[in-house]
Amino acid sequence: MNLGRYKRELAAAVAFLLLLIMVGISAPSFFSAENLRDLAVNNAPTLLIAIGMTLVILVGEIDISVGSQFAVCSVVAGELAKAGVPVGLLLPCLILIGAAMGAINGLLVGWLRLPSIIVTLAMLVAWRDALRWVTEGTWVQNLPANFQWFGLGQTVGQLLIVVIALIVLVSFSWALRNLGAGRAIYAVGSDSEAARLAGVEPQRVVFGVFVLMGALVGLAALLNAVRFSVVPSNAGLGLELKAVAAVVVGGAAITGGRGTLLGTLIGAALLGTIGTALTFAGINPFWEKAIQGAIILAALVSDVALDRLRISDFGLRSKELSR
Amino acid sequence: MTDAVLLQAINITKSYAGVQALKSALFELRAGEVHALIGENGAGKSTLIKIITGAVEPDSGEIKLSSSTITHNSPRVAKQLGIAAIYQQPALFPELTVAENIALGLEQTGMLGRVDWRERRRHSAELLAQVGARIDVERAAGELTMPEQQLVEIARSLGAKAKVLIMDEPTASLSEEDTQNLFRVIRNLRSAGVGIIYISHRLEELPVIADRVTVLRDGRTIDTRLMSEVNRQALIQLMVGRELSAVFPKKEVALGDVALELRQLGSSEAGIKDINLSVRAGEIVGLAGLVGAGRTELARTIFGLTQADQGEIVLRGKHVRIESPSQAIKHGLAYLPEDRRRHGVILDMQIGANVTLASLDRLSRYGVMDFKREKEIAADYIRRLGVKTPAIYVPVSTLSGGNQQKIALSRWLVTRPSVLILDEPTQGIDVGAKSEIHALMTELASEGVAILMISSELPEILGMSDRVAVMHGGTIAAILDRKDASQQKILALALGHDLNEVEAQAKAVR
Ligand SMILES: Nc1ncnc2c1ncn2[C@@H]1O[C@H](COP(=O)(O)OP(=O)(O)OP(=O)(O)O)[C@@H](O)[C@H]1O
Ligand SMILES: [Mg+2]
């Protein structure tokens, strides 16, 4: 195998490593067990969303409604628990509810061929407003005692969240490489018409990917909700941006067809730790957003620069002619 | 041809990661000559012309135009110096109209220049008329068929009023008539002193149009000859480095049951009607006709790319409704599409993944891919079709045009279809690989595959088909048996003459 294909992931990994070395020198306490555990638990839900977003971006689409879906799922999780649904059943319930919300996007984008940026923008507004209308802004309180940490206590609960996120990451990553369906995702993202001629059904693939995205949103919302004793009705604000950023920083092409979940993991880790790292290094966390923005820009610029590199490898000046 | 040397490429060397595309290649073009550039798939022809047009930078060597070296070459510089090119892969913008596509390459107005729409349309229509194409300039380029797109590209290159005009396989998908029109245009340009570099795998065209010929093999210039001094055999010898038999490897095969039957098939969307045709297992039926006669449209309708609204399709005795390629594949159909230069392969994916893309179900168990099998299959086709590549895992975008075509073909052979529809199977493929593909077709037929072959090359139709169906005006004009088929008959039928009339004429001549 040639490493060249993973150069974008490599670039993100190097950046992450540099960050770790820098905080390691200025504030070794960053590497304390508690801090690392907190980071992992805090970022697990975002990672799950970013995994789904990777699939969506790989097929050449985008989903910016995930934050609103996340809020809806969080509230539903709380209400279901209050209504007496056993904690064990919450997991499949939320995955199904999320998948159903994703299916709406999938139908509109996959089968009706509407542009995903518009469809999911509409859904972002629609879900958020519907939720505001139903909850009138109140939070879900007086949750049953066994809701928080699934009733397993903080230590086990935290472990469970991180383990689930990792299992999802590993299995999706494996599936993307080894299943025919994974091939189909890359094929549709690279050239949807060519994929159709080869017997792949782009509508079905796009639909399926949005359903998976929704299911992961449901799962992430539940895993996030059980960390607290109340469920806020404004959860997940800006989540879509975090997820897209993690995917892009991880080296996926926003136009589809290129990217890996390993990259997304690195991207999510880099963006998810930077705030804490700054605090430990004694820098005003006020800079967090600015630095995150800079990292995203750097990823995009290096993407173009790396492309140049490939182009000069192959001696081509324009992508057009490389065909 | 004058003696004035117009363009020289001296000791051009170029290597890509792992591949040496050109090794001290030499090429010389005089004013007022048509200079053919030939060689096997992957010999370096397209690379050489991309270096001349500045699209690719050579590792070493120089390009001289009228004996002054071009420094800092780029597509823009080359264009200003009067070098125009038609590339092997279509380079039209699918969303823009034909007029806009033509204008884009030609207009000199800056970013803020005003667009004169009326003039733009008139000029485009005039250029198209010159190449004898009847294409509405207001249509989006993406809607055009392959041959139409090729004509638009030719028209655009004419408008450049270039001193050096480079054509990389311009006739690959053109009909006989369009080819003759193109030759007429080329001859006019030649007498006006334009130097023309002409790349083609159709060796029979060369004596008709070329003055000199340069042969490339493995990136080296083997020889430059006067066209009048070499014959086909000698050219093949120079290209391949060995003799090749010129006969078609056609074998008599015992025919099985009817595998594909079309009854009164029609589609208003595709512009075809009343098609009656059957293909038996082991049989090769050639589908001849002019461009626009409806051959590709018929194939697309069978494969579910356009919907039939009349008649029926019967596969091995069973009525089927086919609404998408994936359904067609499940029914055992395979279709090598005509516009495969655009969508025949997925350029960013590796060779192996491309070869197996239409067989994912068969190459996986419970959805899990069998990578070992994939590798074996890909390696097998690479060897059999002589695909020139350093490895299986490179993206298809790094292959030469002809080698990409071989990958597109392999993909369909891997599906083990019971009915195989081939649209111009050997277009853009070199002579050696061509006879290999013909041999493969024969082998498939003897294994019981029913083959429907669309081809604009009459020798190929006559050489490979058991029967020939000739299309005209969206329907089948006549079906000829192998022993009755002849070039004249097929042409006459394709032009819309009546079969009885054609036969009477043939008798009268005798
Ligand atoms: N972008 C690229 N990256 C890597 N290798 C390349 C690239 N472009 C071309 N090559 C290699 O360079 C060699 C020459 O290719 P070229 O396209 O010039 O062949 P060609 O003579 O035009 O063949 P054809 O008749 O198939 O069009 C081939 O082996 C090809 O694989
Ligand atoms: Mg070429």
Side-chain angles (χ1 to χ4, degrees), chain B residues 262-283:
Chain B
L262 310 175
R263 294 185 192 148
Q264 287 300 117
L265 189 73
S267 159
S268 45
E269 186 189 345
I272 53 171
K273 55 182 188 293
D274 304 331
I275 307 269
N276 288 297
L277 181 68
S278 65
V279 188
R280 294 169 65 179
E283 189 180 31

mmCIF file with all atom_site columns, all heavy atoms in Angstrom, chain B residues 262-283:
data_model
loop_
_atom_site.group_PDB
_atom_site.id
_atom_site.type_symbol
_atom_site.label_atom_id
_atom_site.label_alt_id
_atom_site.label_comp_id
_atom_site.label_asym_id
_atom_site.label_entity_id
_atom_site.label_seq_id
_atom_site.pdbx_PDB_ins_code
_atom_site.Cartn_x
_atom_site.Cartn_y
_atom_site.Cartn_z
_atom_site.occupancy
_atom_site.B_iso_or_equiv
_atom_site.pdbx_formal_charge
_atom_site.auth_seq_id
_atom_site.auth_comp_id
_atom_site.auth_asym_id
_atom_site.auth_atom_id
_atom_site.pdbx_PDB_model_num
ATOM 1   N N   . LEU B 1 262 ? -36.619 -9.162  -28.641 1.00 0.00 ? 262 LEU B N   1
ATOM 2   C CA  . LEU B 1 262 ? -37.314 -7.883  -28.566 1.00 0.00 ? 262 LEU B CA  1
ATOM 3   C C   . LEU B 1 262 ? -38.516 -7.981  -29.486 1.00 0.00 ? 262 LEU B C   1
ATOM 4   O O   . LEU B 1 262 ? -38.389 -8.353  -30.648 1.00 0.00 ? 262 LEU B O   1
ATOM 5   C CB  . LEU B 1 262 ? -36.393 -6.754  -29.033 1.00 0.00 ? 262 LEU B CB  1
ATOM 6   C CG  . LEU B 1 262 ? -35.007 -6.736  -28.399 1.00 0.00 ? 262 LEU B CG  1
ATOM 7   C CD1 . LEU B 1 262 ? -34.143 -5.656  -29.026 1.00 0.00 ? 262 LEU B CD1 1
ATOM 8   C CD2 . LEU B 1 262 ? -35.117 -6.512  -26.896 1.00 0.00 ? 262 LEU B CD2 1
ATOM 9   N N   . ARG B 1 263 ? -39.707 -7.682  -28.940 1.00 0.00 ? 263 ARG B N   1
ATOM 10  C CA  . ARG B 1 263 ? -40.913 -7.742  -29.766 1.00 0.00 ? 263 ARG B CA  1
ATOM 11  C C   . ARG B 1 263 ? -41.535 -6.365  -29.849 1.00 0.00 ? 263 ARG B C   1
ATOM 12  O O   . ARG B 1 263 ? -41.978 -5.823  -28.837 1.00 0.00 ? 263 ARG B O   1
ATOM 13  C CB  . ARG B 1 263 ? -41.924 -8.707  -29.147 1.00 0.00 ? 263 ARG B CB  1
ATOM 14  C CG  . ARG B 1 263 ? -41.447 -10.143 -29.144 1.00 0.00 ? 263 ARG B CG  1
ATOM 15  C CD  . ARG B 1 263 ? -42.540 -11.055 -28.640 1.00 0.00 ? 263 ARG B CD  1
ATOM 16  N NE  . ARG B 1 263 ? -41.994 -12.373 -28.367 1.00 0.00 ? 263 ARG B NE  1
ATOM 17  C CZ  . ARG B 1 263 ? -42.447 -13.179 -27.413 1.00 0.00 ? 263 ARG B CZ  1
ATOM 18  N NH1 . ARG B 1 263 ? -43.460 -12.794 -26.661 1.00 0.00 ? 263 ARG B NH1 1
ATOM 19  N NH2 . ARG B 1 263 ? -41.910 -14.371 -27.223 1.00 0.00 ? 263 ARG B NH2 1
ATOM 20  N N   . GLN B 1 264 ? -41.546 -5.811  -31.026 1.00 0.00 ? 264 GLN B N   1
ATOM 21  C CA  . GLN B 1 264 ? -42.181 -4.508  -31.268 1.00 0.00 ? 264 GLN B CA  1
ATOM 22  C C   . GLN B 1 264 ? -41.702 -3.456  -30.260 1.00 0.00 ? 264 GLN B C   1
ATOM 23  O O   . GLN B 1 264 ? -42.469 -2.570  -29.897 1.00 0.00 ? 264 GLN B O   1
ATOM 24  C CB  . GLN B 1 264 ? -43.712 -4.645  -31.147 1.00 0.00 ? 264 GLN B CB  1
ATOM 25  C CG  . GLN B 1 264 ? -44.379 -5.366  -32.303 1.00 0.00 ? 264 GLN B CG  1
ATOM 26  C CD  . GLN B 1 264 ? -44.154 -4.662  -33.626 1.00 0.00 ? 264 GLN B CD  1
ATOM 27  O OE1 . GLN B 1 264 ? -43.531 -5.206  -34.530 1.00 0.00 ? 264 GLN B OE1 1
ATOM 28  N NE2 . GLN B 1 264 ? -44.639 -3.435  -33.747 1.00 0.00 ? 264 GLN B NE2 1
ATOM 29  N N   . LEU B 1 265 ? -40.468 -3.589  -29.831 1.00 0.00 ? 265 LEU B N   1
ATOM 30  C CA  . LEU B 1 265 ? -39.982 -2.684  -28.789 1.00 0.00 ? 265 LEU B CA  1
ATOM 31  C C   . LEU B 1 265 ? -39.898 -1.251  -29.310 1.00 0.00 ? 265 LEU B C   1
ATOM 32  O O   . LEU B 1 265 ? -39.454 -1.015  -30.433 1.00 0.00 ? 265 LEU B O   1
ATOM 33  C CB  . LEU B 1 265 ? -38.612 -3.139  -28.291 1.00 0.00 ? 265 LEU B CB  1
ATOM 34  C CG  . LEU B 1 265 ? -38.101 -2.408  -27.057 1.00 0.00 ? 265 LEU B CG  1
ATOM 35  C CD1 . LEU B 1 265 ? -38.872 -2.840  -25.829 1.00 0.00 ? 265 LEU B CD1 1
ATOM 36  C CD2 . LEU B 1 265 ? -36.619 -2.659  -26.852 1.00 0.00 ? 265 LEU B CD2 1
ATOM 37  N N   . GLY B 1 266 ? -40.329 -0.316  -28.512 1.00 0.00 ? 266 GLY B N   1
ATOM 38  C CA  . GLY B 1 266 ? -40.238 1.085   -28.905 1.00 0.00 ? 266 GLY B CA  1
ATOM 39  C C   . GLY B 1 266 ? -40.190 1.977   -27.690 1.00 0.00 ? 266 GLY B C   1
ATOM 40  O O   . GLY B 1 266 ? -40.590 1.603   -26.598 1.00 0.00 ? 266 GLY B O   1
ATOM 41  N N   . SER B 1 267 ? -39.646 3.176   -27.887 1.00 0.00 ? 267 SER B N   1
ATOM 42  C CA  . SER B 1 267 ? -39.603 4.158   -26.818 1.00 0.00 ? 267 SER B CA  1
ATOM 43  C C   . SER B 1 267 ? -39.622 5.530   -27.469 1.00 0.00 ? 267 SER B C   1
ATOM 44  O O   . SER B 1 267 ? -38.745 5.847   -28.279 1.00 0.00 ? 267 SER B O   1
ATOM 45  C CB  . SER B 1 267 ? -38.332 3.967   -25.997 1.00 0.00 ? 267 SER B CB  1
ATOM 46  O OG  . SER B 1 267 ? -38.034 5.160   -25.302 1.00 0.00 ? 267 SER B OG  1
ATOM 47  N N   . SER B 1 268 ? -40.642 6.320   -27.149 1.00 0.00 ? 268 SER B N   1
ATOM 48  C CA  . SER B 1 268 ? -40.692 7.638   -27.786 1.00 0.00 ? 268 SER B CA  1
ATOM 49  C C   . SER B 1 268 ? -39.585 8.516   -27.230 1.00 0.00 ? 268 SER B C   1
ATOM 50  O O   . SER B 1 268 ? -39.036 9.355   -27.928 1.00 0.00 ? 268 SER B O   1
ATOM 51  C CB  . SER B 1 268 ? -42.060 8.274   -27.570 1.00 0.00 ? 268 SER B CB  1
ATOM 52  O OG  . SER B 1 268 ? -42.458 8.110   -26.236 1.00 0.00 ? 268 SER B OG  1
ATOM 53  N N   . GLU B 1 269 ? -39.232 8.288   -25.957 1.00 0.00 ? 269 GLU B N   1
ATOM 54  C CA  . GLU B 1 269 ? -38.167 9.069   -25.334 1.00 0.00 ? 269 GLU B CA  1
ATOM 55  C C   . GLU B 1 269 ? -36.853 8.856   -26.086 1.00 0.00 ? 269 GLU B C   1
ATOM 56  O O   . GLU B 1 269 ? -36.089 9.782   -26.330 1.00 0.00 ? 269 GLU B O   1
ATOM 57  C CB  . GLU B 1 269 ? -38.031 8.621   -23.871 1.00 0.00 ? 269 GLU B CB  1
ATOM 58  C CG  . GLU B 1 269 ? -37.061 9.422   -23.049 1.00 0.00 ? 269 GLU B CG  1
ATOM 59  C CD  . GLU B 1 269 ? -36.822 8.778   -21.686 1.00 0.00 ? 269 GLU B CD  1
ATOM 60  O OE1 . GLU B 1 269 ? -37.623 7.890   -21.292 1.00 0.00 ? 269 GLU B OE1 1
ATOM 61  O OE2 . GLU B 1 269 ? -35.837 9.150   -21.036 1.00 0.00 ? 269 GLU B OE2 1
ATOM 62  N N   . ALA B 1 270 ? -36.602 7.590   -26.478 1.00 0.00 ? 270 ALA B N   1
ATOM 63  C CA  . ALA B 1 270 ? -35.341 7.276   -27.142 1.00 0.00 ? 270 ALA B CA  1
ATOM 64  C C   . ALA B 1 270 ? -35.437 7.442   -28.659 1.00 0.00 ? 270 ALA B C   1
ATOM 65  O O   . ALA B 1 270 ? -34.426 7.403   -29.353 1.00 0.00 ? 270 ALA B O   1
ATOM 66  C CB  . ALA B 1 270 ? -34.927 5.846   -26.803 1.00 0.00 ? 270 ALA B CB  1
ATOM 67  N N   . GLY B 1 271 ? -36.640 7.609   -29.176 1.00 0.00 ? 271 GLY B N   1
ATOM 68  C CA  . GLY B 1 271 ? -36.791 7.775   -30.621 1.00 0.00 ? 271 GLY B CA  1
ATOM 69  C C   . GLY B 1 271 ? -36.623 6.483   -31.398 1.00 0.00 ? 271 GLY B C   1
ATOM 70  O O   . GLY B 1 271 ? -36.124 6.483   -32.526 1.00 0.00 ? 271 GLY B O   1
ATOM 71  N N   . ILE B 1 272 ? -37.009 5.351   -30.808 1.00 0.00 ? 272 ILE B N   1
ATOM 72  C CA  . ILE B 1 272 ? -36.960 4.089   -31.546 1.00 0.00 ? 272 ILE B CA  1
ATOM 73  C C   . ILE B 1 272 ? -38.350 3.464   -31.545 1.00 0.00 ? 272 ILE B C   1
ATOM 74  O O   . ILE B 1 272 ? -39.156 3.724   -30.645 1.00 0.00 ? 272 ILE B O   1
ATOM 75  C CB  . ILE B 1 272 ? -35.951 3.094   -30.932 1.00 0.00 ? 272 ILE B CB  1
ATOM 76  C CG1 . ILE B 1 272 ? -36.236 2.897   -29.436 1.00 0.00 ? 272 ILE B CG1 1
ATOM 77  C CG2 . ILE B 1 272 ? -34.540 3.562   -31.146 1.00 0.00 ? 272 ILE B CG2 1
ATOM 78  C CD1 . ILE B 1 272 ? -35.442 1.778   -28.820 1.00 0.00 ? 272 ILE B CD1 1
ATOM 79  N N   . LYS B 1 273 ? -38.641 2.650   -32.564 1.00 0.00 ? 273 LYS B N   1
ATOM 80  C CA  . LYS B 1 273 ? -39.975 2.050   -32.631 1.00 0.00 ? 273 LYS B CA  1
ATOM 81  C C   . LYS B 1 273 ? -39.932 0.701   -33.364 1.00 0.00 ? 273 LYS B C   1
ATOM 82  O O   . LYS B 1 273 ? -39.035 0.440   -34.154 1.00 0.00 ? 273 LYS B O   1
ATOM 83  C CB  . LYS B 1 273 ? -40.933 3.003   -33.345 1.00 0.00 ? 273 LYS B CB  1
ATOM 84  C CG  . LYS B 1 273 ? -40.444 3.422   -34.727 1.00 0.00 ? 273 LYS B CG  1
ATOM 85  C CD  . LYS B 1 273 ? -41.411 4.396   -35.374 1.00 0.00 ? 273 LYS B CD  1
ATOM 86  C CE  . LYS B 1 273 ? -41.025 4.658   -36.818 1.00 0.00 ? 273 LYS B CE  1
ATOM 87  N NZ  . LYS B 1 273 ? -39.755 5.387   -36.985 1.00 0.00 ? 273 LYS B NZ  1
ATOM 88  N N   . ASP B 1 274 ? -40.910 -0.145  -33.059 1.00 0.00 ? 274 ASP B N   1
ATOM 89  C CA  . ASP B 1 274 ? -41.139 -1.401  -33.777 1.00 0.00 ? 274 ASP B CA  1
ATOM 90  C C   . ASP B 1 274 ? -39.880 -2.247  -33.953 1.00 0.00 ? 274 ASP B C   1
ATOM 91  O O   . ASP B 1 274 ? -39.598 -2.718  -35.045 1.00 0.00 ? 274 ASP B O   1
ATOM 92  C CB  . ASP B 1 274 ? -41.725 -1.125  -35.171 1.00 0.00 ? 274 ASP B CB  1
ATOM 93  C CG  . ASP B 1 274 ? -42.998 -0.303  -35.082 1.00 0.00 ? 274 ASP B CG  1
ATOM 94  O OD1 . ASP B 1 274 ? -43.679 -0.441  -34.049 1.00 0.00 ? 274 ASP B OD1 1
ATOM 95  O OD2 . ASP B 1 274 ? -43.282 0.468   -36.013 1.00 0.00 ? 274 ASP B OD2 1
ATOM 96  N N   . ILE B 1 275 ? -39.129 -2.429  -32.890 1.00 0.00 ? 275 ILE B N   1
ATOM 97  C CA  . ILE B 1 275 ? -37.904 -3.224  -33.012 1.00 0.00 ? 275 ILE B CA  1
ATOM 98  C C   . ILE B 1 275 ? -38.224 -4.693  -32.772 1.00 0.00 ? 275 ILE B C   1
ATOM 99  O O   . ILE B 1 275 ? -38.748 -5.059  -31.720 1.00 0.00 ? 275 ILE B O   1
ATOM 100 C CB  . ILE B 1 275 ? -36.857 -2.785  -31.971 1.00 0.00 ? 275 ILE B CB  1
ATOM 101 C CG1 . ILE B 1 275 ? -36.624 -1.284  -32.040 1.00 0.00 ? 275 ILE B CG1 1
ATOM 102 C CG2 . ILE B 1 275 ? -35.573 -3.592  -32.136 1.00 0.00 ? 275 ILE B CG2 1
ATOM 103 C CD1 . ILE B 1 275 ? -35.550 -0.827  -32.937 1.00 0.00 ? 275 ILE B CD1 1
ATOM 104 N N   . ASN B 1 276 ? -37.933 -5.532  -33.749 1.00 0.00 ? 276 ASN B N   1
ATOM 105 C CA  . ASN B 1 276 ? -38.061 -6.977  -33.597 1.00 0.00 ? 276 ASN B CA  1
ATOM 106 C C   . ASN B 1 276 ? -36.692 -7.592  -33.840 1.00 0.00 ? 276 ASN B C   1
ATOM 107 O O   . ASN B 1 276 ? -36.137 -7.450  -34.925 1.00 0.00 ? 276 ASN B O   1
ATOM 108 C CB  . ASN B 1 276 ? -39.063 -7.541  -34.605 1.00 0.00 ? 276 ASN B CB  1
ATOM 109 C CG  . ASN B 1 276 ? -40.469 -7.149  -34.238 1.00 0.00 ? 276 ASN B CG  1
ATOM 110 O OD1 . ASN B 1 276 ? -40.978 -7.534  -33.185 1.00 0.00 ? 276 ASN B OD1 1
ATOM 111 N ND2 . ASN B 1 276 ? -41.096 -6.336  -35.077 1.00 0.00 ? 276 ASN B ND2 1
ATOM 112 N N   . LEU B 1 277 ? -36.173 -8.267  -32.821 1.00 0.00 ? 277 LEU B N   1
ATOM 113 C CA  . LEU B 1 277 ? -34.829 -8.806  -32.955 1.00 0.00 ? 277 LEU B CA  1
ATOM 114 C C   . LEU B 1 277 ? -34.635 -9.896  -31.918 1.00 0.00 ? 277 LEU B C   1
ATOM 115 O O   . LEU B 1 277 ? -35.133 -9.789  -30.804 1.00 0.00 ? 277 LEU B O   1
ATOM 116 C CB  . LEU B 1 277 ? -33.794 -7.691  -32.706 1.00 0.00 ? 277 LEU B CB  1
ATOM 117 C CG  . LEU B 1 277 ? -32.320 -8.065  -32.829 1.00 0.00 ? 277 LEU B CG  1
ATOM 118 C CD1 . LEU B 1 277 ? -31.965 -8.387  -34.273 1.00 0.00 ? 277 LEU B CD1 1
ATOM 119 C CD2 . LEU B 1 277 ? -31.433 -6.927  -32.336 1.00 0.00 ? 277 LEU B CD2 1
ATOM 120 N N   . SER B 1 278 ? -33.958 -10.967 -32.303 1.00 0.00 ? 278 SER B N   1
ATOM 121 C CA  . SER B 1 278 ? -33.653 -11.969 -31.294 1.00 0.00 ? 278 SER B CA  1
ATOM 122 C C   . SER B 1 278 ? -32.179 -12.343 -31.396 1.00 0.00 ? 278 SER B C   1
ATOM 123 O O   . SER B 1 278 ? -31.582 -12.315 -32.474 1.00 0.00 ? 278 SER B O   1
ATOM 124 C CB  . SER B 1 278 ? -34.530 -13.202 -31.475 1.00 0.00 ? 278 SER B CB  1
ATOM 125 O OG  . SER B 1 278 ? -34.207 -13.813 -32.702 1.00 0.00 ? 278 SER B OG  1
ATOM 126 N N   . VAL B 1 279 ? -31.596 -12.650 -30.263 1.00 0.00 ? 279 VAL B N   1
ATOM 127 C CA  . VAL B 1 279 ? -30.201 -13.072 -30.216 1.00 0.00 ? 279 VAL B CA  1
ATOM 128 C C   . VAL B 1 279 ? -30.156 -14.381 -29.456 1.00 0.00 ? 279 VAL B C   1
ATOM 129 O O   . VAL B 1 279 ? -30.692 -14.485 -28.352 1.00 0.00 ? 279 VAL B O   1
ATOM 130 C CB  . VAL B 1 279 ? -29.305 -12.035 -29.499 1.00 0.00 ? 279 VAL B CB  1
ATOM 131 C CG1 . VAL B 1 279 ? -27.853 -12.415 -29.647 1.00 0.00 ? 279 VAL B CG1 1
ATOM 132 C CG2 . VAL B 1 279 ? -29.555 -10.644 -30.035 1.00 0.00 ? 279 VAL B CG2 1
ATOM 133 N N   . ARG B 1 280 ? -29.543 -15.409 -30.059 1.00 0.00 ? 280 ARG B N   1
ATOM 134 C CA  . ARG B 1 280 ? -29.502 -16.705 -29.403 1.00 0.00 ? 280 ARG B CA  1
ATOM 135 C C   . ARG B 1 280 ? -28.216 -16.885 -28.621 1.00 0.00 ? 280 ARG B C   1
ATOM 136 O O   . ARG B 1 280 ? -27.230 -16.187 -28.849 1.00 0.00 ? 280 ARG B O   1
ATOM 137 C CB  . ARG B 1 280 ? -29.633 -17.804 -30.461 1.00 0.00 ? 280 ARG B CB  1
ATOM 138 C CG  . ARG B 1 280 ? -31.005 -17.760 -31.120 1.00 0.00 ? 280 ARG B CG  1
ATOM 139 C CD  . ARG B 1 280 ? -31.087 -18.619 -32.326 1.00 0.00 ? 280 ARG B CD  1
ATOM 140 N NE  . ARG B 1 280 ? -30.925 -20.032 -31.995 1.00 0.00 ? 280 ARG B NE  1
ATOM 141 C CZ  . ARG B 1 280 ? -30.983 -20.991 -32.911 1.00 0.00 ? 280 ARG B CZ  1
ATOM 142 N NH1 . ARG B 1 280 ? -31.186 -20.708 -34.181 1.00 0.00 ? 280 ARG B NH1 1
ATOM 143 N NH2 . ARG B 1 280 ? -30.832 -22.243 -32.558 1.00 0.00 ? 280 ARG B NH2 1
ATOM 144 N N   . ALA B 1 281 ? -28.245 -17.783 -27.676 1.00 0.00 ? 281 ALA B N   1
ATOM 145 C CA  . ALA B 1 281 ? -27.038 -18.068 -26.904 1.00 0.00 ? 281 ALA B CA  1
ATOM 146 C C   . ALA B 1 281 ? -25.938 -18.491 -27.874 1.00 0.00 ? 281 ALA B C   1
ATOM 147 O O   . ALA B 1 281 ? -26.169 -19.315 -28.754 1.00 0.00 ? 281 ALA B O   1
ATOM 148 C CB  . ALA B 1 281 ? -27.314 -19.171 -25.890 1.00 0.00 ? 281 ALA B CB  1
ATOM 149 N N   . GLY B 1 282 ? -24.766 -17.923 -27.720 1.00 0.00 ? 282 GLY B N   1
ATOM 150 C CA  . GLY B 1 282 ? -23.657 -18.276 -28.598 1.00 0.00 ? 282 GLY B CA  1
ATOM 151 C C   . GLY B 1 282 ? -23.592 -17.475 -29.877 1.00 0.00 ? 282 GLY B C   1
ATOM 152 O O   . GLY B 1 282 ? -22.661 -17.632 -30.665 1.00 0.00 ? 282 GLY B O   1
ATOM 153 N N   . GLU B 1 283 ? -24.578 -16.603 -30.054 1.00 0.00 ? 283 GLU B N   1
ATOM 154 C CA  . GLU B 1 283 ? -24.631 -15.856 -31.301 1.00 0.00 ? 283 GLU B CA  1
ATOM 155 C C   . GLU B 1 283 ? -24.081 -14.442 -31.110 1.00 0.00 ? 283 GLU B C   1
ATOM 156 O O   . GLU B 1 283 ? -24.248 -13.847 -30.044 1.00 0.00 ? 283 GLU B O   1
ATOM 157 C CB  . GLU B 1 283 ? -26.084 -15.778 -31.783 1.00 0.00 ? 283 GLU B CB  1
ATOM 158 C CG  . GLU B 1 283 ? -26.249 -15.219 -33.180 1.00 0.00 ? 283 GLU B CG  1
ATOM 159 C CD  . GLU B 1 283 ? -27.716 -15.175 -33.604 1.00 0.00 ? 283 GLU B CD  1
ATOM 160 O OE1 . GLU B 1 283 ? -28.596 -15.008 -32.750 1.00 0.00 ? 283 GLU B OE1 1
ATOM 161 O OE2 . GLU B 1 283 ? -27.975 -15.306 -34.800 1.00 0.00 ? 283 GLU B OE2 1
#
